[in-house]
Amino acid sequence: PPNDETGETHEGKVRFVALGYQLFNIIKEVFESGELDEVPFAYQNGCNFIIKKIHQGDYDNYAIGSKFARKTSDLTPDEIAEVEDQMVDLETLLPPHPGIDKVESMLEAALSGGSYDTDPIVSTNTTVNESTEDNITDTVSVSSSTVSTDDQHEDEADQILANIRNRRKNKNN
C-alpha cells in the first residue's frame, strides 16, 4: 500500500528486503520444488517476486499471496541500468567484524552471566621511544610464549560447549 505521508509505493522500485521466516520459506520451497523453469533473478526471462502483506491481528502475514510470477519477463535496458546503478556489495551491509578479543569476552560473559566491555579502549599512541620498544618486545615475547596449540583450542571449545549445555540444563530445571 502507498505510504500514508508521501503516497509513494514500492512498485517498480529496487528495494532491500529483510527476508523474514515466511518469505524465506516461500522462496526456499519454490527453489526446492523445481517448479520454476527459469532462473527467477535473471535479467532476461526472470520472474517477479510478488510480496503481499496482510494484517492479521497485531501481526503482518506475508505467507498468503506472496509468490513468484508465473510469467517470465525481460528487463528493459533502462531497468537493467537502474538495477545496476543501485547494486550494493552485500558485504557492506554486514556489521564490522568485532575481532577475536571482543568475541571471546562476549562468550565469557554469556557463559558466566556477566557483562563485557562494549567499547574497548584502543591505544592510538604512535610515538615510539626506548621504553615503548622494550614494552613491545616484552609483549611480543609473552604473546608468542602463550600461543595455544590446536589441541588446546579443541579442549577449550569442548569445555565452552559443555558450560553452555550445563547452563541451559540448569536454566530449564
Side-chain angles (χ1 to χ4, degrees):
N3 181 303
D4 292 336
E5 296 174 12
T6 63
E8 182 181 16
T9 66
H10 298 286
E11 190 171 327
K13 297 191 174 70
V14 177
R15 299 282 193 225
F16 291 107
V17 177
L19 292 180
Y21 182 75
Q22 294 171 351
L23 291 175
F24 174 78
N25 279 336
I26 292 168
I27 293 169
K28 183 176 86 170
E29 287 172 12
V30 169
F31 275 92
E32 287 176 349
S33 72
E35 65 185 77
L36 289 174
D37 295 330
E38 302 290 336
V39 178
F41 50 84
Y43 292 163
Q44 306 300 317
N45 296 321
C47 299
N48 290 330
F49 185 70
I50 301 161
I51 300 174
K52 293 248 180 178
K53 179 169 79 170
I54 298 170
H55 297 287
Q56 289 186 326
D58 293 337
Y59 302 100
D60 293 330
N61 185 329
Y62 296 92
I64 301 171
S66 293
K67 62 185 180 211
F68 282 100
R70 295 284 175 220
K71 184 179 176 188
T72 62
S73 62
D74 295 340
L75 294 178
T76 66
D78 289 340
E79 290 170 330
I80 293 171
E82 178 78 18
V83 168
E84 289 179 346
D85 183 52
Q86 293 185 32
M87 274 191 194
V88 173
D89 179 2
L90 296 179
E91 192 171 298
T92 63
L93 300 176
L94 295 172
H97 189 280
I100 189 71
D101 291 336
K102 183 172 182 177
V103 171
E104 285 177 347
S105 66
M106 291 170 70
L107 184 57
E108 181 62 36
L111 292 173
S112 67
S115 61
Y116 66 94
D117 186 10
T118 59
D119 202 16
I121 298 172
V122 178
S123 174
T124 58
N125 186 357
T126 56
T127 307
V128 176
N129 56 35
E130 282 183 36
S131 63
T132 304
E133 287 176 359
D134 292 340
N135 289 339
I136 291 171
T137 305
D138 291 342
T139 303
V140 170
S141 63
V142 167
S143 297
S144 63
S145 68
T146 59
V147 173
S148 300
T149 65
D150 287 340
D151 290 338
Q152 288 172 323
H153 283 294
E154 286 180 26
D155 291 342
E156 290 173 6
D158 289 342
Q159 183 60 45
I160 290 169
L161 289 172
N163 290 344
I164 291 171
R165 288 183 186 113
N166 286 335
R167 274 187 68 204
R168 285 187 180 162
K169 181 179 168 184
N170 291 337
K171 209 180 248 189
N172 292 334
N173 291 337

